[in-house]
Amino acid sequence: MDVHIGLWIIFGVTVLSALAVDMCLKSHRGAHVVSFKEASLWTALWVILAIAFAGVIDAAMGHERAFEYLTAYLIEESLSVDNMFVFIMIFKYFSVPAAYQHRVLKWGIFGAIAMRFVIIFAGVTLLQYFHWMLYIFGGLLIITALKMFRDNPEDIHPENNHVLKFIKRFMPMTSKFNEHHFITVIDGVKHGTPLLAALLVVEASDLVFAIDSIPAVLAVSRDPFIIFTSNIFAIMGLRSLYFLIHGLIGYFRYLRFGLAIVLLFIGSKMLVADIYHIPIGLSLGVVGFILAASILLSVIIKDEQVSHKSS
């Protein structure tokens, strides 16, 4: 317990310090289009911090827990990439200017942290008291994987979002932007701007994403500390990752299929957990190999198409 308290403190100081620097720099620059270079630097920083924290866990809790953390982080970070495609479609639908997108993502991250906290501890508690929930989570992961094979991330309809429809009952919405503000006043009446609409749909999408992804991490570890820290490190880099992915979207065309295979593997692991325990080192290797292969395949096929067009 003392080790956990110390690690919680290190984790909190690390994340809050990096977040404070990030927010101060963004506030100083004001509304601006995040460049590919800026997104790359911040994405690299968050990845380095996440990997460095794995070293802290290894020193304090041992190799097994460090492998659990790395596997959970890799799964969450990869699933976040897939979620970025949804965010791109949302911003496109609401015609959100690139200079204001980082503001929506900033508040979206805060909401995501709160949702993760509730869902993670609820999931861990359920598994502690109801072991049979393991099979429910495993089944949900397999269903999610099959949906990823079938569904197209571009087939989203933000106007049908239930949260947005609910808010419209109490606050009228306008299609006009008021710079970076979520609320504007028209004829003395407060209206929600397209930025607010985009934020609500982003938060609703992330809730669905969290419900799908948390069971995958619960198959890796039951330790709330491991699950929560790996999730938060993945989430904190989400804003810079979005702008990075936006510039490299062509290199991830087959990642969705790789993620579906990963979820099939993790779901199957949960279903056979009482019969056979798959070592965490093997799980990390399998997940890493599948994701790397899907990205490599995307790059190779993209290059082949480009060369074919040029010829």
Side-chain angles (χ1 to χ4, degrees), residues 36-49 73 77 237-245:
F36 182 81
K37 179 180 179 180
E38 180 183 349
S40 301
L41 290 174
W42 274 103
T43 299
L45 174 62
W46 282 111
V47 171
I48 290 171
L49 287 176
Y73 173 75
E77 188 77 357
L238 184 148
R239 182 166 55 160
S240 56
L241 181 64
Y242 167 83
F243 293 101
L244 180 64
I245 294 300

Side-chain angles (χ1 to χ4, degrees), residues 172 174 176 178 181-193:
T174 178
K176 296 181 179 179
N178 181 17
H181 300 292
F182 292 112
I183 305 294
T184 187
V185 178
I186 301 176
D187 297 330
V189 179
K190 291 183 178 180
H191 286 65
T193 68

Side-chain angles (χ1 to χ4, degrees), residues 251-303:
Y251 291 97
F252 295 94
R253 64 177 64 202
Y254 293 113
L255 178 62
R256 187 174 182 83
F257 299 106
L259 289 171
I261 296 173
V262 167
L263 293 183
L264 282 175
F265 169 71
I266 298 297
S268 300
K269 178 182 177 180
M270 297 185 84
L271 294 178
V272 303
D274 290 333
I275 303 174
Y276 176 72
H277 172 69
I278 299 177
I280 187 62
L282 177 59
S283 296
L284 177 59
V286 170
V287 171
F289 173 78
I290 294 173
L291 295 175
S294 65
I295 294 176
L296 181 61
L297 183 63
S298 300
V299 174
I300 292 174
I301 292 180
K302 178 182 176 63
D303 288 343

Side-chain angles (χ1 to χ4, degrees), residues 121-131 133 222-224:
F121 285 94
V124 171
T125 302
L126 284 173
L127 287 179
Q128 286 178 343
Y129 290 97
F130 306 103
H131 181 73
M133 287 296 298
R222 307 290 175 79
D223 188 333

Side-chain angles (χ1 to χ4, degrees), residues 110-162:
F110 292 144
I113 292 174
M115 286 188 287
R116 289 300 196 290
F117 183 85
V118 174
I119 295 174
I120 287 171
F121 285 94
V124 171
T125 302
L126 284 173
L127 287 179
Q128 286 178 343
Y129 290 97
F130 306 103
H131 181 73
W132 52 267
M133 287 296 298
L134 186 72
Y135 303 108
I136 300 296
F137 289 156
L140 287 174
L141 286 177
I142 291 177
I143 293 173
T144 300
L146 296 176
K147 287 177 60 180
M148 291 182 74
F149 278 120
R150 183 193 63 193
D151 296 344
N152 186 337
E154 295 186 6
D155 294 335
I156 62 171
H157 303 281
E159 71 279 7
N160 295 329
N161 184 269
H162 296 296

Side-chain angles (χ1 to χ4, degrees), residues 40 44 57 102 210:
S40 301
I57 293 176
H102 71 86

Side-chain angles (χ1 to χ4, degrees), residues 58-81:
D58 182 74
M61 304 175 70
H63 298 321
E64 184 80 7
R65 288 292 183 267
F67 278 144
E68 289 180 1
Y69 166 85
L70 284 173
T71 305
Y73 173 75
L74 182 59
I75 291 173
E76 284 297 324
E77 188 77 357
S78 302
L79 287 170
S80 295
V81 172

